[in-house]
Amino acid sequence: MTETDLQRKHTKISEIREIVGTFEIDVEEMKYSPLKIKVHHILNASGESYIGIANLMVKGKGCPDYFRSMHPQKTKGEALEDAADGFFTYLSDESEIKEDKNW
């Protein structure tokens, strides 16, 4: 049985997520290294997509809150890249890093 078959059989299922990869990225001179990113393959009524979710969030200098990019992408690689780009966009010597314990 495929995930789509399961959704058809049980109409109350709104979304199915599969972790298709977990990546650990060593970052020089960072206390919370490694940066970890889980890539989820998501099936729902609007189709399928991939989302990369980092375990670390960054609050850049002058930013009101911590940031973590989680934009739906078409491929596993694009989702990994989006999550990493979102992290490094705000990373600087002056930024604050927060770990998501429920990642």
Side-chain angles (χ1 to χ4, degrees), residues 2-65:
T2 67
E3 295 87 353
T4 306
D5 293 336
L6 189 61
Q7 284 179 299
R8 285 189 195 116
K9 183 177 179 182
H10 301 286
T11 57
K12 291 190 182 268
I13 295 174
S14 61
E15 183 172 279
I16 296 174
R17 292 176 299 282
E18 174 187 14
I19 297 173
V20 295
T22 302
F23 301 85
E24 292 189 4
I25 301 167
D26 292 326
V27 181
E28 292 180 9
E29 301 176 13
M30 191 174 77
K31 175 183 173 183
Y32 290 98
S33 192
L35 167 65
K36 298 176 186 176
I37 298 173
K38 284 184 190 174
V39 176
H40 293 247
H41 182 212
I42 299 172
L43 299 170
N44 58 32
S46 39
E48 63 180 292
S49 61
Y50 294 83
I51 294 180
I53 304 172
N55 68 323
L56 302 176
M57 297 174 280
V58 178
K59 182 177 179 182
K61 182 179 180 180
C63 293
D65 205 356

Side-chain angles (χ1 to χ4, degrees), residues 77-88:
E78 289 172 352
L80 173 62
E81 183 177 6
D82 175 66
D85 287 351
F87 177 78
F88 287 105

